[in-house]
Amino acid sequence: MKHLKKYLEDNPPLVLILSFLFLIIIGSLLLSLPISQNTTRVPYIDCFFTATSAVCVTGLVTVATYSAWSVLGKIIIIILIQMGGLGFMTFATLIALVMGRRITLKDRLIIKEQTNSIDMQGMVKLIKYILISTFSIETIGAFLLMTKFVPVYGFKGVFYSFFHSISAFCNAGFDILGPNSLIDINTNIFVLLIIGLLIVIGGIGFNVILDVLHNNFKFKKYSLHSKIVLTTTILMLSITSILIFAMEFSNPGTIGNLGFIDKITNSIFQAITLRTAGFASINQSKLLDSSSVLSILNMFIGGSPAGTAGGIKTTTFALLIIVALSEIKGQEDVEVFNRRIRFSQVKKALAIITLSMAWVIFVTFAILVIDKAKYLDVVFEVVSAFGTVGLTRSLTPGINSISKILIISTMYIGRVGSLTILYALSNTKNKKAYKEAHENIIIG
């Protein structure tokens, strides 16, 4: 036990991934209780799948959330979403602060790993900010949604408002309005706007929000990280919205039968929800193949670091583009916004993309062999799981148990991060006292 404790203390990434696993197991056991379910008995594999999807803030489900779970089951799910979105250590720190316990160096190392921070300075202050801002934003969002939900659903509208506000801010995509997500209310611009804003704010990362507020919305004063996140996010949302609008304009299965303003609204919302949110205002299985491919690309990229989003992250994708542009321009260093980026970060970005693509290809191939489903549907579902998006083409409920386990693993890896898992397993730094001789290879 002493050796195990010492190993965990020296391995913050392992503590992080085990904390998520612990939440999933506890959540699945709670959901498996009869009191958490409605009349139909839910198999444990589906309880485990739902718990994983909630903790990993994905939104993919094998049973309908609105009908399969009792009120207690829904409360358990939203608690798992909140804890999974903010991270186990955030709540552990909150409890420690309330009890007056000192935050140790080990705690700060784990928090640093969880929040993807560069250094350990101001860790406790950052956690306090995350908690205050999260609960404040979610509460404001809930009260705004109440103006539309309470008149329709009565007192239940209060619960619905808080559930969807938390689910949206945490980029989880769980909904309890019915079997069609937000499709039945996709002409309600106000609801789509509020949920869309919550998704964007939760997905850009807490460090970026803090940076923007601290510098009074003055772009020049932002950190390089914030500049890249905001620029990449705005460009991707804009380009994706325009392309979805253009490609789906006449498609009766998606936005073809909507009014012009509703077409614009749903195109923008589709671009937003692809940032790992998972709420659907249009039928994903009716998308044109071109739109589906665009959606897959967006889901794979995902949101931004230090937030509630998944995917390889906008900064990783942006760095890949920046490296390519630097090479095209013949620049010796990788530069952006008058700053130079270390080569170690370039290597990390390439490792993340390579490992992520390898896992997605492996799981896609395995499910195609096991379930023999349509290729595009499988890729869409696997990338949705990896990016912790939750959008579905109705494939997940019909797959067998082995495929469900593969999707569960994909959601888990997508939330924790493939590189984090490798760091946790290796926990070694191979620094040589010498450097090998140079030799060139032919590239391209």
Side-chain angles (χ1 to χ4, degrees):
M1 290 299 295
K2 287 183 179 179
H3 287 297
L4 178 62
K5 182 180 178 182
K6 180 67 169 60
Y7 182 73
L8 291 175
E9 287 178 350
D10 295 338
N11 198 338
L14 182 59
V15 176
L16 181 64
I17 65 174
L18 289 178
S19 68
F20 276 97
L21 184 59
F22 173 77
L23 279 177
I24 291 169
I25 293 172
I26 296 298
S28 66
L29 292 174
L30 291 174
L31 288 176
S32 67
L33 298 174
I35 196 173
S36 299
Q37 304 172 11
N38 279 330
T39 54
T40 305
R41 182 69 176 167
V42 180
Y44 181 73
I45 183 66
D46 294 314
C47 296
F48 194 82
F49 191 103
T50 302
T52 304
S53 185
V55 171
C56 298
V57 290
T58 305
L60 283 176
V61 293
T62 52
V63 294
T65 308
Y66 80 100
S67 61
W69 311 107
S70 65
V71 174
L72 177 61
K74 293 182 178 73
I75 292 173
I76 291 170
I77 288 172
I78 203 62
I79 291 173
L80 292 175
I81 289 171
Q82 188 78 89
M83 296 189 72
L86 298 184
F88 182 81
M89 279 307 299
T90 301
F91 286 91
T93 304
L94 173 62
I95 294 171
L97 291 173
V98 170
M99 296 178 63
R101 188 175 72 83
R102 189 173 66 88
I103 307 302
T104 64
L105 178 61
K106 182 190 73 171
D107 295 332
R108 294 172 191 269
L109 285 169
I110 300 171
I111 294 169
K112 174 179 176 291
E113 185 70 30
Q114 176 187 288
T115 57
N116 288 326
S117 298
I118 297 173
D119 54 52
M120 288 190 294
Q121 291 183 349
M123 283 292 100
V124 176
K125 183 179 179 181
L126 177 61
I127 289 295
K128 289 179 179 178
Y129 164 76
I130 289 174
L131 289 167
I132 293 170
S133 61
T134 296
F135 295 144
S136 299
I137 293 169
E138 288 174 347
T139 302
I140 293 171
F143 277 109
L144 290 172
L145 289 175
M146 282 181 206
T147 62
K148 296 296 181 181
F149 287 167
V150 172
V152 177
Y153 301 104
F155 184 71
K156 287 195 300 185
V158 176
F159 178 66
Y160 286 2
S161 298
F162 274 99
F163 187 100
H164 292 91
S165 180
I166 294 170
S167 183
F169 182 78
C170 291
N171 282 213
F174 276 83
D175 66 89
I176 51 176
L177 296 178
N180 300 317
S181 190
L182 304 182
I183 295 175
D184 294 335
I185 57 171
N186 64 2
T187 56
N188 193 322
I189 297 176
F190 182 81
V191 172
L192 294 186
L193 175 64
I194 297 304
I195 291 180
L197 283 174
L198 288 169
I199 292 168
V200 172
I201 294 171
I204 63 173
F206 297 106
N207 290 332
V208 176
I209 298 172
L210 182 61
D211 196 15
V212 170
L213 295 176
H214 180 72
N215 290 291
N216 298 317
F217 298 89
K218 294 179 181 178
F219 188 81
K220 289 184 178 180
K221 293 185 177 181
Y222 297 164
S223 67
L224 178 62
H225 171 79
S226 297
K227 288 178 179 178
I228 292 175
V229 165
L230 292 172
T231 303
T232 307
T233 300
I234 291 171
L235 284 174
M236 290 194 65
L237 288 177
S238 301
I239 294 170
T240 304
S241 299
I242 293 170
L243 290 175
I244 291 291
F245 178 79
M247 291 186 293
E248 297 294 323
F249 188 88
S250 301
N251 183 0
T254 54
I255 65 174
N257 295 327
L258 299 176
F260 187 76
I261 299 300
D262 289 327
K263 286 181 179 180
I264 295 175
T265 304
N266 282 272
S267 298
I268 295 172
F269 189 84
Q270 175 72 5
I272 290 173
T273 198
L274 292 171
R275 321 302 302 139
T276 81
F279 289 99
S281 67
I282 57 178
N283 192 330
Q284 303 300 304
S285 61
K286 297 292 180 64
L287 287 170
L288 300 176
D289 287 353
S290 55
S291 299
S292 297
V293 172
L294 178 64
S295 297
I296 290 169
L297 175 62
N298 273 269
M299 292 191 296
F300 185 73
I301 295 170
S304 303
T308 57
I312 63 171
K313 303 298 190 300
T314 52
T315 47
T316 305
F317 174 71
L319 185 53
L320 191 68
I321 300 299
I322 293 166
V323 170
L325 292 175
S326 297
E327 184 64 24
I328 292 171
K329 293 177 181 178
Q331 296 175 337
E332 185 175 345
D333 296 316
V334 179
E335 299 175 355
V336 62
F337 291 117
N338 298 317
R339 291 291 185 271
R340 181 167 54 88
I341 298 175
R342 291 188 179 92
F343 183 66
S344 60
Q345 291 190 299
V346 176
K347 288 198 300 179
K348 185 175 181 180
L350 291 173
I352 290 172
I353 292 171
T354 303
L355 291 171
S356 300
M357 289 184 66
W359 180 259
V360 167
I361 292 170
F362 164 73
V363 175
T364 299
F365 178 78
I367 294 178
L368 284 170
V369 171
I370 296 167
D371 279 288
K372 296 179 173 59
K374 292 182 180 179
Y375 171 74
L376 191 59
D377 290 348
V378 174
V379 176
F380 192 97
E381 216 83 357
V382 171
V383 175
S384 180
F386 176 79
T388 69
V389 182
L391 290 175
T392 179
R393 293 167 71 92
S394 302
L395 176 70
T396 303
I399 58 179
N400 65 30
S401 296
I402 298 176
S403 295
K404 286 178 183 177
I405 292 171
L406 287 171
I407 294 292
I408 287 171
S409 303
T410 304
M411 290 190 290
Y412 184 69
I413 291 173
R415 181 67 182 100
V416 176
S418 53
L419 210 56
T420 301
I421 292 175
L422 286 181
Y423 283 160
L425 294 177
S426 62
N427 195 33
T428 56
K429 292 183 183 264
N430 295 318
K431 287 190 176 181
K432 291 184 177 181
Y434 62 93
K435 290 186 177 181
E436 304 288 357
H438 280 290
E439 186 169 350
N440 294 326
I441 62 172
I442 300 172
I443 301 295

